[in-house]
Amino acid sequence: MKPGTLLAQAALSAFAAQGARAAETEPSFCCDALESAGFGEIIHYPGGDAYEARQQAYWSPLARLQPGCIIQPGRAEEVSTIVKTLVLANKTQPCQFAVRSGGHTTYGGAANIDGGVTLDLGFMNSTTYFANNQTAAIQPGARWGSVFRTLDNAGVASAGGRAASVGVAGLVLGGGNSFYSARKGLVCDNVANFEVVLANGEVVFANRETNADLFQVLKGGSNNFGIVTRIDLQTFDRENVWGGIVGYPISTAGLHSKALVNFGEKLADDPYASTIMILLYHSARGFPFIANAYEYTKPVERPPIFDEFMAIPGNFSSTMRITNMTDITEELEQPVGFRWKFMALTFQNDERIIKKATELFHKMIESIGDADEWYFSPMFQPMPASFAKHSAANGGNILGLDRFTENNILFLYDVGWMSEENDELFHKLSEQYVEDLDSYAKSIGKSNLFVYLDYADPTQDPLSTYGHANIQKMRAAAAKYDPDRVFQTMVPGGFKLSKVRVPEDEEQHDEL
Ligand SMILES: Cc1cc2nc3c(=O)[nH]c(=O)nc-3n(C[C@H](O)[C@H](O)[C@H](O)COP(=O)(O)OP(=O)(O)OC[C@H]3O[C@@H](n4cnc5c(N)ncnc54)[C@H](O)[C@@H]3O)c2cc1C
Ligand SMILES: *[C@@H]1O[C@H](CO)[C@@H](O)[C@H](O)[C@H]1NC(C)=O
Ligand SMILES: *[C@@H]1O[C@H](CO)[C@@H](O)[C@H](O)[C@H]1NC(C)=O
Ligand SMILES: *[C@@H]1O[C@H](CO)[C@@H](O)[C@H](O)[C@H]1NC(C)=O
Ligand SMILES: *[C@@H]1O[C@H](CO)[C@@H](O)[C@H](O)[C@H]1NC(C)=O
Ligand SMILES: *[C@@H]1O[C@H](CO)[C@@H](O)[C@H](O)[C@H]1NC(C)=O
């Protein structure tokens, strides 16, 4: 596909005029190196249909940066050659690249790059179930909807994402919260084996027996150690689930706060249950409401753990039903087209903090008014101490959640808006919201320092919250598996180990 090279040359002259950018990274040089390595067929350039289609397939418009080219490998061996080619080319000219799977990260630059190369794993999206060892071999660019379709058809289930369009690798490498967390731990705790392309191009396995240190750091350490090209996930026999979304007037917020806290305290006793409490405002509707997602991973209607929620009066809609996981994940999508911002916060399971978050929710609605079309859906997810208990049995993850003995709530700040001119306004008010909520939690002694990477914003530093010992483990693994620092210097996107702001004193850090 040589016409691409012409475009690359056009880009080169454009870049030659822009000295500062060209000095950082030279897209046509790096893309040409990949062309010379024989990848012409799978390289796409700006202006081409394939390039534009892949850009549109980023979930948030804020993630659609302008790489010099996008390369779409189909096999681990190709990923390996691509990495070797770029590392070699980088000795002549800087060749930075991004690694993309589903592309669901909200902010720009986690899985895309301006001017460099985007290594897009979107075509590596198959799921193969093996009955002999009850695992599913899932390629990194698969979406959870397609994973569950395959598993439902095979009569099995696994822990996994809760919205159909979300990518597999990004979610697993950040941890992964699922409907099965109380029963099975995080999604990453269900990995039997990773296939990984290392910085030197070697394709290795990481599991409990082989490269066990790499296995552990991949479970939460994101893109700092290699490129994951296959995830073997443990499965178990499937059952239909009782689940859906129930809409309530905002006047019931107080009852919901109470019910959610009580639910979080009881979850360890009935680990089949899961709830996301969602405050929701869409300016096009014009009024705030509550839209809770309830799921029970057995075909049982209204099990007792949901009694308090079921007694809350006045719901105006309900999709509660017994169905399969494929169907449930299709229901839990958020609308596309908005410029999304996610932020993560953790606090203890305390009603007062949910009330404070609801007050701040109303304040935000007043501040923004109808300045734009926007969609605001902060979410509260119980994260009791029991979630961390399943980790050690499978080689451990690196998130450090086992440090916490309290039952917590994982809070997802979630807002989307339409107009680019409002970017600054939404960033500013959102960061203020999260800071105010965190300060409140601290003021009553109920904050938790953990920042969940899969929900974190670039103003946050999730890896630094995993605890001193885990940061040291990640550093040791990076030094061992990527001694030349390819994933630190050449893959700038996402949360980088080399940028972790390490607290001087571990103890002080842990009680922050
Ligand atoms: C609608 C929606 C629903 C969600 N639901 C859930 C949920 O139920 N549970 C939950 O825990 N989270 C959820 N999330 C958050 C989700 O986990 C993150 O957005 C995650 O990053 C998505 O994975 P991805 O593959 O699409 O990400 P990408 O944006 O493609 O990648 C994310 C990061 O991982 C790195 N990366 C990607 N692939 C690889 C690879 N193969 N090897 C090495 N590094 C790689 C990238 O470089 C990037 O930094 C949801 C997000 C959205 C938008
Ligand atoms: C994999 O990706 C291709 C290209 O986007 C798409 O046509 C196909 O349906 C996807 N397969 C699965 C299983 O999702
Ligand atoms: C499961 O079995 C299949 C088929 O034999 C094999 O290819 C795969 O590597 C196995 N997975 C694990 C995690 O052992
Ligand atoms: C899942 O349920 C939906 C809705 O009932 C149904 O249409 C679909 O065929 C089911 N899929 C599988 C794989 O069982
Ligand atoms: C919703 O309200 C109806 C009517 O009051 C009630 O019968 C139903 O049980 C409620 N559903 C839930 C899930 O609370
Ligand atoms: C890539 O090139 C940059 C710029 O010369 C350099 O700083 C970096 O260390 C190089 N990285 C590797 C892995 O060679």
Side-chain angles (χ1 to χ4, degrees):
M1 220 181 69
K2 276 290 158 183
T5 325
L6 285 178
L7 273 167
Q9 269 152 17
L12 175 63
S13 32
F15 269 85
Q18 269 184 34
R21 187 114 170 276
E24 281 163 30
T25 196
E26 187 47 84
S28 66
F29 174 79
C30 310
C31 297
D32 282 353
L34 293 167
E35 294 270 354
S36 303
F39 288 115
E41 297 282 327
I42 57 166
I43 302 178
H44 310 300
Y45 293 93
D49 289 347
Y51 181 102
E52 297 309 326
R54 292 311 294 159
Q55 291 288 75
Q56 287 309 310
Y58 283 92
W59 187 65
S60 172
L62 293 170
R64 294 172 195 152
L65 306 185
Q66 280 286 311
C69 61
I70 297 174
I71 184 162
Q72 287 200 282
R75 295 180 301 121
E77 295 71 30
E78 288 178 343
V79 175
S80 162
T81 309
I82 292 166
V83 171
K84 284 191 275 194
T85 303
L86 291 172
V87 168
L88 184 65
N90 187 71
K91 294 190 193 309
T92 311
Q93 298 258 351
C95 278
Q96 292 198 317
F97 65 105
V99 181
R100 171 196 180 166
S101 283
H104 260 52
T105 307
T106 52
Y107 65 90
N112 206 356
I113 189 165
D114 271 325
V117 174
T118 293
L119 201 169
D120 175 3
L121 299 162
F123 278 179
M124 292 177 66
N125 62 353
S126 69
T127 302
T128 311
Y129 172 64
F130 292 109
N132 59 302
N133 51 23
Q134 293 182 308
T135 60
I138 309 174
Q139 290 187 307
R143 310 299 181 113
W144 288 104
S146 76
V147 173
F148 286 123
R149 198 167 307 113
T150 304
L151 298 186
D152 272 334
N153 280 324
V156 295
S158 75
R162 294 165 296 187
S165 66
V166 178
V168 167
L171 180 139
V172 171
L173 297 175
N177 195 17
S178 87
F179 298 128
Y180 296 98
S181 295
R183 246 167 99 187
K184 303 279 180 184
L186 298 184
V187 181
C188 66
D189 296 322
N190 293 266
V191 175
N193 175 55
F194 290 105
E195 179 190 74
V196 194
V197 173
L198 298 179
N200 65 4
E202 209 185 325
V203 185
V204 302
F205 289 132
N207 52 54
R208 286 187 66 179
E209 282 83 38
T210 309
N211 299 319
D213 48 355
L214 180 60
F215 184 51
Q216 184 179 11
V217 297
L218 285 171
K219 295 187 267 182
S222 197
N223 67 8
N224 286 288
F225 311 100
I227 300 176
V228 169
T229 47
R230 193 180 94 208
I231 296 172
D232 296 323
L233 213 50
Q234 287 161 358
T235 65
F236 44 92
D237 288 345
R238 73 170 293 285
E239 286 188 284
N240 270 340
V241 303
W242 177 68
I245 296 176
V246 184
Y248 305 84
I250 196 70
S251 57
T252 59
L255 295 174
H256 282 284
S257 309
K258 214 176 247 128
L260 190 79
V261 166
N262 292 335
F263 179 88
E265 295 301 318
K266 286 184 292 199
L267 195 44
D269 302 330
D270 188 351
Y272 288 83
S274 164
T275 290
I276 311 174
M277 174 182 163
I278 307 172
L279 299 172
L280 210 153
Y281 178 77
H282 180 191
S283 61
R285 292 211 207 188
F287 60 92
F289 59 102
I290 290 175
N292 286 357
Y294 304 122
E295 326 289 334
Y296 197 69
T297 60
K298 272 203 250 188
V300 176
E301 286 186 14
R302 297 177 178 253
I305 187 168
F306 291 102
D307 281 353
E308 193 173 344
F309 284 117
M310 293 302 119
I312 296 176
N315 76 72
F316 53 75
S317 66
S318 168
T319 66
M320 296 306 296
R321 66 211 181 275
I322 290 183
T323 187
N324 57 49
M325 194 50 80
T326 310
D327 187 37
I328 288 286
T329 58
E330 278 160 14
E331 180 179 30
L332 278 173
E333 293 285 9
Q334 287 184 221
V336 293
F338 291 93
R339 304 168 74 77
W340 293 104
K341 183 179 178 84
F342 281 8
M343 292 186 79
L345 195 66
T346 309
F347 41 80
Q348 290 181 33
N349 192 30
D350 189 299
E351 207 186 313
R352 291 170 292 175
I353 310 173
I354 305 178
K355 287 207 172 119
K356 181 68 182 183
T358 309
E359 269 171 50
L360 292 168
F361 170 77
H362 287 294
K363 193 174 146 197
M364 179 80 176
I365 295 169
E366 272 165 36
S367 308
I368 303 282
D370 54 7
D372 200 344
E373 184 185 348
W374 62 296
Y375 188 101
F376 189 26
S377 53
M379 302 187 193
F380 305 86
Q381 310 177 25
M383 187 168 64
S386 64
F387 279 21
K389 291 201 179 124
H390 307 271
S391 169
N394 195 25
N397 66 43
I398 204 69
L399 299 162
L401 290 172
D402 48 353
R403 286 170 297 164
F404 310 127
T405 52
E406 314 83 23
N407 294 330
N408 287 309
I409 289 178
L410 183 62
F411 176 73
L412 167 59
Y413 177 92
D414 180 328
V415 71
W417 63 97
M418 283 290 171
S419 312
E420 187 175 348
E421 72 240 28
N422 287 326
D423 284 359
E424 210 186 305
L425 175 70
F426 277 95
H427 283 304
K428 200 177 117 225
L429 293 182
S430 301
E431 285 153 30
Q432 192 62 53
Y433 180 114
V434 172
E435 194 185 315
D436 288 350
L437 189 57
D438 194 28
S439 303
Y440 177 74
K442 284 189 176 120
S443 75
I444 62 167
K446 298 284 181 180
S447 73
N448 182 291
L449 63 92
F450 182 70
V451 172
Y452 180 42
L453 186 142
D454 279 342
Y455 295 161
D457 177 81
T459 58
Q460 303 186 292
D461 188 10
L463 297 174
S464 76
T465 70
Y466 290 7
H468 187 71
N470 284 342
I471 293 171
Q472 293 308 337
K473 276 189 187 172
M474 289 191 286
R475 287 190 169 148
K480 177 171 164 191
Y481 294 97
D482 180 15
D484 296 331
R485 298 167 53 82
V486 168
F487 290 99
Q488 303 307 317
T489 64
M490 291 178 63
V491 183
F495 296 101
K496 306 316 296 193
L497 198 48
S498 47
K499 293 206 176 133
V500 163
R501 298 185 286 272
V502 190
E504 299 279 303
D505 169 5
E506 183 195 348
E507 251 120 53
Q508 192 187 336
H509 175 59
D510 282 351
E511 70 183 24
L512 265 182

